[in-house]
PDB file of all heavy atoms in Angstrom:
ATOM      1  N   ARG V 269      21.982 -13.234  22.492  1.00 98.00           N
ATOM      2  CA  ARG V 269      22.003 -13.413  23.950  1.00 98.00           C
ATOM      3  C   ARG V 269      23.334 -13.998  24.407  1.00 98.00           C
ATOM      4  O   ARG V 269      23.934 -13.522  25.380  1.00 98.00           O
ATOM      5  CB  ARG V 269      20.911 -14.410  24.373  1.00 98.00           C
ATOM      6  CG  ARG V 269      19.555 -13.832  24.527  1.00 98.00           C
ATOM      7  CD  ARG V 269      18.569 -14.965  24.837  1.00 98.00           C
ATOM      8  NE  ARG V 269      17.227 -14.458  24.764  1.00 98.00           N
ATOM      9  CZ  ARG V 269      16.656 -13.770  25.734  1.00 98.00           C
ATOM     10  NH1 ARG V 269      17.320 -13.554  26.851  1.00 98.00           N
ATOM     11  NH2 ARG V 269      15.435 -13.305  25.589  1.00 98.00           N
ATOM     12  N   ILE V 272      26.106 -11.454  24.093  1.00 98.00           N
ATOM     13  CA  ILE V 272      26.033 -10.423  25.146  1.00 98.00           C
ATOM     14  C   ILE V 272      26.670 -10.939  26.428  1.00 98.00           C
ATOM     15  O   ILE V 272      27.453 -10.244  27.075  1.00 98.00           O
ATOM     16  CB  ILE V 272      24.552  -9.998  25.391  1.00 98.00           C
ATOM     17  CG1 ILE V 272      24.040  -9.192  24.198  1.00 98.00           C
ATOM     18  CG2 ILE V 272      24.416  -9.203  26.691  1.00 98.00           C
ATOM     19  CD1 ILE V 272      22.559  -8.865  24.232  1.00 98.00           C
ATOM     20  N   LYS V 276      30.472  -9.905  27.066  1.00 98.00           N
ATOM     21  CA  LYS V 276      30.212  -8.816  28.034  1.00 98.00           C
ATOM     22  C   LYS V 276      29.827  -7.513  27.330  1.00 98.00           C
ATOM     23  O   LYS V 276      30.381  -6.442  27.594  1.00 98.00           O
ATOM     24  CB  LYS V 276      31.424  -8.595  28.932  1.00 98.00           C
ATOM     25  CG  LYS V 276      31.786  -9.849  29.731  1.00 98.00           C
ATOM     26  CD  LYS V 276      32.897  -9.583  30.720  1.00 98.00           C
ATOM     27  CE  LYS V 276      33.167 -10.750  31.641  1.00 98.00           C
ATOM     28  NZ  LYS V 276      33.303 -12.060  31.015  1.00 98.00           N
ATOM     29  N   ILE V 277      28.862  -7.608  26.418  1.00 98.00           N
ATOM     30  CA  ILE V 277      28.431  -6.441  25.636  1.00 98.00           C
ATOM     31  C   ILE V 277      27.556  -5.532  26.512  1.00 98.00           C
ATOM     32  O   ILE V 277      26.614  -5.998  27.157  1.00 98.00           O
ATOM     33  CB  ILE V 277      27.656  -6.911  24.374  1.00 98.00           C
ATOM     34  CG1 ILE V 277      28.609  -7.655  23.436  1.00 98.00           C
ATOM     35  CG2 ILE V 277      26.980  -5.735  23.669  1.00 98.00           C
ATOM     36  CD1 ILE V 277      27.927  -8.448  22.338  1.00 98.00           C
ATOM     37  N   ARG V 278      27.874  -4.233  26.527  1.00 98.00           N
ATOM     38  CA  ARG V 278      27.100  -3.264  27.309  1.00 98.00           C
ATOM     39  C   ARG V 278      26.319  -2.304  26.422  1.00 98.00           C
ATOM     40  O   ARG V 278      25.337  -1.705  26.821  1.00 98.00           O
ATOM     41  CB  ARG V 278      28.009  -2.420  28.239  1.00 98.00           C
ATOM     42  CG  ARG V 278      29.013  -3.171  29.056  1.00 98.00           C
ATOM     43  CD  ARG V 278      28.409  -4.224  29.976  1.00 98.00           C
ATOM     44  NE  ARG V 278      27.225  -3.778  30.689  1.00 98.00           N
ATOM     45  CZ  ARG V 278      26.239  -4.579  31.051  1.00 98.00           C
ATOM     46  NH1 ARG V 278      26.283  -5.862  30.763  1.00 98.00           N
ATOM     47  NH2 ARG V 278      25.203  -4.105  31.702  1.00 98.00           N
ATOM     48  N   ARG V 279      26.809  -2.093  25.174  1.00 98.00           N
ATOM     49  CA  ARG V 279      26.138  -1.172  24.228  1.00 98.00           C
ATOM     50  C   ARG V 279      25.943  -1.901  22.925  1.00 98.00           C
ATOM     51  O   ARG V 279      26.875  -2.505  22.390  1.00 98.00           O
ATOM     52  CB  ARG V 279      26.998   0.069  23.971  1.00 98.00           C
ATOM     53  CG  ARG V 279      26.777   1.145  25.008  1.00 98.00           C
ATOM     54  CD  ARG V 279      26.930   2.525  24.380  1.00 98.00           C
ATOM     55  NE  ARG V 279      25.647   2.995  23.887  1.00 98.00           N
ATOM     56  CZ  ARG V 279      25.169   4.213  24.074  1.00 98.00           C
ATOM     57  NH1 ARG V 279      25.846   5.091  24.749  1.00 98.00           N
ATOM     58  NH2 ARG V 279      24.009   4.573  23.563  1.00 98.00           N
ATOM     59  N   LEU V 280      24.722  -1.818  22.408  1.00 98.00           N
ATOM     60  CA  LEU V 280      24.386  -2.558  21.199  1.00 98.00           C
ATOM     61  C   LEU V 280      23.696  -1.639  20.193  1.00 98.00           C
ATOM     62  O   LEU V 280      22.889  -0.784  20.573  1.00 98.00           O
ATOM     63  CB  LEU V 280      23.457  -3.721  21.571  1.00 98.00           C
ATOM     64  CG  LEU V 280      22.933  -4.603  20.443  1.00 98.00           C
ATOM     65  CD1 LEU V 280      24.060  -5.410  19.792  1.00 98.00           C
ATOM     66  CD2 LEU V 280      21.857  -5.561  20.980  1.00 98.00           C
ATOM     67  N   VAL V 296      14.700  -7.648  19.923  1.00 99.00           N
ATOM     68  CA  VAL V 296      16.040  -7.190  20.333  1.00 99.00           C
ATOM     69  C   VAL V 296      15.900  -6.165  21.463  1.00 99.00           C
ATOM     70  O   VAL V 296      16.685  -6.160  22.416  1.00 99.00           O
ATOM     71  CB  VAL V 296      16.841  -6.638  19.125  1.00 99.00           C
ATOM     72  CG1 VAL V 296      18.147  -5.990  19.573  1.00 99.00           C
ATOM     73  CG2 VAL V 296      17.135  -7.758  18.124  1.00 99.00           C
ATOM     74  N   GLU V 297      14.857  -5.324  21.385  1.00 98.00           N
ATOM     75  CA  GLU V 297      14.623  -4.369  22.476  1.00 98.00           C
ATOM     76  C   GLU V 297      14.388  -5.110  23.792  1.00 98.00           C
ATOM     77  O   GLU V 297      14.904  -4.726  24.835  1.00 98.00           O
ATOM     78  CB  GLU V 297      13.405  -3.476  22.148  1.00 98.00           C
ATOM     79  CG  GLU V 297      13.812  -2.211  21.417  1.00 98.00           C
ATOM     80  CD  GLU V 297      12.671  -1.552  20.652  1.00 98.00           C
ATOM     81  OE1 GLU V 297      11.489  -1.795  20.998  1.00 98.00           O
ATOM     82  OE2 GLU V 297      12.966  -0.803  19.693  1.00 98.00           O
ATOM     83  N   SER V 298      13.615  -6.195  23.743  1.00 98.00           N
ATOM     84  CA  SER V 298      13.332  -6.874  25.003  1.00 98.00           C
ATOM     85  C   SER V 298      14.557  -7.648  25.512  1.00 98.00           C
ATOM     86  O   SER V 298      14.784  -7.684  26.716  1.00 98.00           O
ATOM     87  CB  SER V 298      12.037  -7.708  24.908  1.00 98.00           C
ATOM     88  OG  SER V 298      12.314  -9.008  24.575  1.00 98.00           O
ATOM     89  N   VAL V 299      15.372  -8.190  24.604  1.00 98.00           N
ATOM     90  CA  VAL V 299      16.615  -8.848  25.041  1.00 98.00           C
ATOM     91  C   VAL V 299      17.516  -7.814  25.731  1.00 98.00           C
ATOM     92  O   VAL V 299      18.078  -8.060  26.806  1.00 98.00           O
ATOM     93  CB  VAL V 299      17.367  -9.480  23.833  1.00 98.00           C
ATOM     94  CG1 VAL V 299      18.796  -9.856  24.206  1.00 98.00           C
ATOM     95  CG2 VAL V 299      16.625 -10.708  23.315  1.00 98.00           C
ATOM     96  N   ALA V 300      17.644  -6.635  25.097  1.00 98.00           N
ATOM     97  CA  ALA V 300      18.521  -5.597  25.646  1.00 98.00           C
ATOM     98  C   ALA V 300      18.040  -5.164  27.032  1.00 98.00           C
ATOM     99  O   ALA V 300      18.840  -5.025  27.967  1.00 98.00           O
ATOM    100  CB  ALA V 300      18.575  -4.406  24.693  1.00 98.00           C
ATOM    101  N   LYS V 301      16.728  -4.999  27.153  1.00 98.00           N
ATOM    102  CA  LYS V 301      16.170  -4.543  28.431  1.00 98.00           C
ATOM    103  C   LYS V 301      16.429  -5.589  29.519  1.00 98.00           C
ATOM    104  O   LYS V 301      16.918  -5.270  30.601  1.00 98.00           O
ATOM    105  CB  LYS V 301      14.658  -4.327  28.249  1.00 98.00           C
ATOM    106  CG  LYS V 301      14.046  -3.486  29.305  1.00 98.00           C
ATOM    107  CD  LYS V 301      12.656  -3.049  28.911  1.00 98.00           C
ATOM    108  CE  LYS V 301      11.966  -2.477  30.144  1.00 98.00           C
ATOM    109  NZ  LYS V 301      10.531  -2.466  30.011  1.00 98.00           N
ATOM    110  N   GLU V 302      16.122  -6.824  29.170  1.00 98.00           N
ATOM    111  CA  GLU V 302      16.278  -7.924  30.126  1.00 98.00           C
ATOM    112  C   GLU V 302      17.740  -8.103  30.549  1.00 98.00           C
ATOM    113  O   GLU V 302      18.020  -8.406  31.715  1.00 98.00           O
ATOM    114  CB  GLU V 302      15.758  -9.182  29.427  1.00 98.00           C
ATOM    115  CG  GLU V 302      15.833 -10.463  30.202  1.00 98.00           C
ATOM    116  CD  GLU V 302      15.698 -11.647  29.237  1.00 98.00           C
ATOM    117  OE1 GLU V 302      14.868 -11.585  28.302  1.00 98.00           O
ATOM    118  OE2 GLU V 302      16.465 -12.619  29.412  1.00 98.00           O
ATOM    119  N   MET V 303      18.677  -7.875  29.612  1.00 98.00           N
ATOM    120  CA  MET V 303      20.082  -8.143  29.920  1.00 98.00           C
ATOM    121  C   MET V 303      20.857  -6.879  30.293  1.00 98.00           C
ATOM    122  O   MET V 303      22.083  -6.911  30.434  1.00 98.00           O
ATOM    123  CB  MET V 303      20.750  -8.855  28.725  1.00 98.00           C
ATOM    124  CG  MET V 303      20.059 -10.180  28.402  1.00 98.00           C
ATOM    125  SD  MET V 303      20.870 -11.139  27.106  1.00 98.00           S
ATOM    126  CE  MET V 303      22.212 -11.915  27.996  1.00 98.00           C
ATOM    127  N   GLY V 304      20.142  -5.759  30.449  1.00 98.00           N
ATOM    128  CA  GLY V 304      20.778  -4.524  30.908  1.00 98.00           C
ATOM    129  C   GLY V 304      21.743  -3.919  29.898  1.00 98.00           C
ATOM    130  O   GLY V 304      22.765  -3.344  30.269  1.00 98.00           O
ATOM    131  N   VAL V 305      21.417  -4.053  28.606  1.00 98.00           N
ATOM    132  CA  VAL V 305      22.275  -3.518  27.543  1.00 98.00           C
ATOM    133  C   VAL V 305      21.637  -2.234  26.993  1.00 98.00           C
ATOM    134  O   VAL V 305      20.424  -2.189  26.795  1.00 98.00           O
ATOM    135  CB  VAL V 305      22.422  -4.556  26.402  1.00 98.00           C
ATOM    136  CG1 VAL V 305      23.129  -3.965  25.194  1.00 98.00           C
ATOM    137  CG2 VAL V 305      23.159  -5.788  26.902  1.00 98.00           C
ATOM    138  N   THR V 306      22.439  -1.208  26.760  1.00 98.00           N
ATOM    139  CA  THR V 306      21.919   0.020  26.162  1.00 98.00           C
ATOM    140  C   THR V 306      21.850  -0.185  24.648  1.00 98.00           C
ATOM    141  O   THR V 306      22.862  -0.479  24.013  1.00 98.00           O
ATOM    142  CB  THR V 306      22.833   1.213  26.488  1.00 98.00           C
ATOM    143  OG1 THR V 306      23.034   1.242  27.891  1.00 98.00           O
ATOM    144  CG2 THR V 306      22.216   2.533  26.027  1.00 98.00           C
ATOM    145  N   LEU V 307      20.643  -0.036  24.098  1.00 98.00           N
ATOM    146  CA  LEU V 307      20.426  -0.348  22.681  1.00 98.00           C
ATOM    147  C   LEU V 307      20.085   0.906  21.885  1.00 98.00           C
ATOM    148  O   LEU V 307      19.310   1.748  22.340  1.00 98.00           O
ATOM    149  CB  LEU V 307      19.264  -1.348  22.566  1.00 98.00           C
ATOM    150  CG  LEU V 307      18.753  -1.667  21.162  1.00 98.00           C
ATOM    151  CD1 LEU V 307      19.782  -2.470  20.368  1.00 98.00           C
ATOM    152  CD2 LEU V 307      17.430  -2.439  21.226  1.00 98.00           C
TER     153      LEU V 307
END
Side-chain angles (χ1 to χ4, degrees):
R269 277 175 190 280
I272 289 173
K276 300 186 173 48
I277 294 166
R278 312 302 316 150
R279 274 213 90 135
L280 178 67
V296 172
E297 269 160 22
S298 94
V299 166
K301 198 167 167 200
E302 179 198 319
M303 300 185 80
V305 171
T306 308
L307 172 69

